[in-house]
């Protein structure tokens, strides 16, 4: 059987040429964590000016050292003005203070902020203040460029645009970003059981889960359900304007495997169907069919979701097949395996990981979607050739991917 790594590379080679790039307004990137196509370099210092990190009074450090002192108390010091956020105040003369609000520019002549709670009467509007607890020189001032200096590369190509990264771009004055564009994807659910009489069939969970997974990566997704009729499958897929097909079902060893039958009907098809040495998700297919790049996934919902995680999501994000596609960790099993892993296959289990380690959720069977929904991690149990001596037992540390 083919290894999961080999198949992951085949899917990567099929999907990666379909990725492109486009320049988009920052405001159009708020809902989906798109991927950067180019580095982002700040043209400005952030902050752009020295500003106050507290509501209080702007003063020079020299004034604090020369002010009248009574034990630990300083002053009184006359209050001669106010600087609000978004305004620039007049210069501060020696021996005086100016009211200042959080975020307001530190006026000329001042270099230190006295928090309002360190003063008496402890309110704005007084003619003079007494300082109960004098700050150190330079205290509570956010210096210009203390977060980012002009010319700094603040975001790297390939990074997902999380809310914090979008905020960095906005703070640096960026209004447009070069982002990766993904292919338009047709999610194709196959089988009479999901395309026929609702009373005699099953709900199309695969169509929902795969569409949600791919849409949240930034892809434009169309859903389609087709029965076990290869001619109808080809006709309906060819009628859809799309760049890539991701199908579920119809590729195993049954008598009516519709994707395999459609590939046999299409003279231009170039599909490779073969078992992968993993559980769940063994049946897989990749290639071209109906004139389109095509990735064929198993029909069981957990198999389909795990296949998206291992094969399709990394390819859409441009993650090299040799690298982890999710945050990776190594954690101990809290108990022995509840079932013997299949010999020679990578087993991917669902689990909850906490301070105690890995607690497997549900069994390995590929229809247990509810256990997947309850899980926080995927757990990889390496293949072993001796099913009577499995690699994984309580205390063994296993590789995990965070999925929630």
């Amino acid at each position: 059987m083919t290894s999961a790594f080999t198949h992951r590379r085949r899917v990567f080679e099929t999907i990666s040429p379909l990725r492109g790039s486009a320049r988009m307004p920052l405001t159009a990137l708020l809902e989906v964590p798109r991927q950067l196509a180019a580095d982002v370099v700040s043209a400005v210092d952030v902050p752009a000016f020295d500003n106050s990190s507290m509501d209080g009074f702007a003063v020079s450090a020299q004034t604090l050292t020369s002010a009248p002192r009574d034990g630990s108390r300083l002053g009184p010091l006359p209050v001669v003005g106010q600087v609000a956020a978004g305004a620039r105040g007049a210069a501060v003369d020696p021996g005086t203070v100016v009211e200042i609000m959080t975020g307001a520019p530190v006026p000329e002549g001042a270099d230190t902020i006295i928090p309002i709670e360190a003063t008496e009467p402890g309110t704005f509007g007084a003619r003079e203040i007494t300082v109960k607890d004098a700050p150190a020189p330079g205290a509570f001032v956010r210096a210009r460029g203390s977060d980012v200096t002009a010319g700094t590369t603040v975001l790297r190509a390939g990074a997902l645009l999380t809310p914090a990264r979008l905020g960095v771009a906005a703070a640096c004055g960026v209004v447009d970003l070069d982002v990766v564009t993904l292919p338009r994807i047709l999610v194709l659910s196959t089988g009479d059981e999901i395309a026929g009489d609702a009373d005699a069939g099953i709900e199309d969970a695969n169509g929902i889960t795969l569409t949600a997974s791919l849409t949240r990566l930034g892809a434009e997704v169309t859903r389609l359900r087709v029965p076990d009729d290869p001619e109808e499958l080809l006709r309906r897929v060819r009628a859809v304007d799309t760049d890539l097909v991701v199908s579920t079902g119809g590729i195993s060893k049954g008598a009516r495997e519709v994707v395999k039958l459609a590939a046999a009907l299409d003279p231009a098809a170039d599909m490779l169907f073969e078992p992968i040495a993993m559980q769940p998700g063994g049946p897989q297919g990749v290639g071209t069919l109906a004139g389109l790049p095509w990735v064929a996934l198993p029909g069981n919902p957990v198999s389909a979701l795990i296949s998206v995680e291992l094969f399709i999501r990394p390819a859409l994000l441009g993650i090299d097949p040799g690298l982890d596609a999710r945050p990776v960790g190594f954690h101990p099993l809290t108990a022995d395996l509840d079932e013997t892993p299949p010999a020679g296959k990578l087993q991917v289990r669902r689990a909850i990981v906490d301070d105690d380690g890995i607690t497997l959720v549900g069994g390995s069977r590929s229809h247990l979607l509810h256990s997947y929904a309850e899980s926080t991690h995927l757990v990889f149990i390496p293949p072993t050739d001796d099913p009577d001596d499995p690699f994984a037992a309580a205390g063994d540390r296993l590789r995990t991917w965070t999925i929630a």
Side-chain angles (χ1 to χ4, degrees):
M1 288 184 286
T2 300
S3 72
F5 172 79
T6 297
H7 186 69
R8 183 175 170 185
R9 181 165 293 283
R10 288 173 181 163
V11 173
F12 184 88
E13 291 170 351
T14 299
I15 291 178
S16 59
L18 306 177
R19 290 162 33 101
S21 65
R23 195 161 186 82
M24 298 179 65
L26 195 66
T27 52
L29 302 170
L30 304 182
E31 295 184 5
V32 174
R34 291 184 180 271
Q35 194 175 20
L36 275 174
D39 292 350
V40 176
V41 179
S42 179
V44 299
D45 293 331
V46 181
F49 47 81
D50 292 352
N51 68 89
S52 176
S53 67
M54 300 287 285
D55 292 329
F57 300 88
V59 67
S60 70
Q62 180 182 3
T63 294
L64 292 177
T65 59
S66 61
R69 182 181 293 272
D70 181 9
S72 61
R73 302 167 67 87
L74 301 179
L77 299 174
V79 180
V80 297
Q82 185 182 87
V83 187
R88 288 191 177 274
V92 179
D93 294 328
T96 67
V97 300
V98 171
E99 294 177 354
I100 192 167
M101 309 304 147
T102 300
V106 177
E108 183 182 349
D111 56 17
T112 304
I113 306 300
I114 308 168
I116 191 170
E117 54 267 31
T119 68
E120 290 180 348
T123 59
F124 291 125
R127 291 188 175 185
E128 61 182 24
I129 62 168
T130 299
V131 182
K132 299 182 293 182
D133 184 13
F140 306 111
V141 173
R142 301 169 179 151
R144 174 174 179 166
S146 56
D147 189 13
V148 175
T149 57
T152 299
T153 299
V154 291
L155 299 173
R156 296 287 183 183
L160 284 177
L161 287 171
T162 61
R165 288 168 178 159
L166 287 168
V168 167
C172 293
V174 174
V175 295
D176 299 294
L177 288 170
D178 293 316
V179 296
V180 173
T181 57
L182 300 182
R184 297 168 300 168
I185 302 176
L186 172 63
V187 170
L188 180 67
S189 301
T190 69
D192 293 339
E193 69 275 19
I194 56 93
D197 185 348
D199 292 333
I202 60 174
E203 299 297 332
D204 181 21
N206 283 346
I208 294 295
T209 55
L210 268 62
T211 297
S213 297
L214 300 174
T215 299
R216 293 178 188 193
L217 294 177
E220 177 186 331
V221 180
T222 302
R223 285 181 61 200
L224 181 64
R225 296 183 295 176
V226 297
D228 289 325
D229 182 334
E231 292 183 348
E232 183 173 350
L233 180 150
L234 291 173
R235 177 181 58 80
R236 295 182 64 183
V237 168
R238 286 170 175 152
V240 178
D241 188 13
T242 191
D243 303 310
L244 170 68
V245 178
V246 176
S247 64
T248 62
I251 61 170
S252 191
K253 296 180 180 180
R256 304 179 67 187
E257 303 297 342
V258 66
V259 176
K260 283 186 172 181
L261 293 173
L265 281 179
D266 182 357
D270 183 16
M271 291 290 293
L272 176 63
F273 299 103
E274 61 182 357
I276 306 301
M278 61 181 280
Q279 183 198 49
Q284 298 284 340
V286 64
T288 57
L289 177 58
L292 291 163
W294 195 297
V295 180
L297 308 181
N300 279 312
V302 172
S303 297
L305 262 180
I306 287 178
S307 298
V308 169
E309 287 290 338
L310 266 63
F311 306 130
I312 295 178
R313 184 177 180 275
L316 289 172
L317 295 180
I319 298 172
D320 186 272
L323 301 177
D324 287 292
R326 287 283 195 177
V328 64
F330 291 88
H331 304 278
L333 278 170
T334 57
D336 290 344
L337 295 182
D338 50 3
E339 53 188 271
T340 301
K345 291 184 179 181
L346 170 69
Q347 189 178 62
V348 185
R349 296 288 300 269
R350 287 78 68 203
I352 293 172
V353 176
D354 55 23
D355 291 342
D356 294 328
I358 298 167
T359 300
L360 298 176
V361 177
S364 64
R365 298 181 68 185
S366 55
H367 70 289
L368 301 174
L369 185 57
H370 182 233
S371 65
Y372 195 116
E374 292 184 318
S375 300
T376 61
H377 291 70
L378 294 181
V379 180
F380 298 92
I381 302 174
T384 174
D385 292 327
D386 184 358
D388 296 324
D389 184 23
F391 171 84
D396 287 341
R397 301 181 70 86
L398 298 179
R399 178 185 293 271
T400 65
W401 282 5
T402 304
I403 56 172

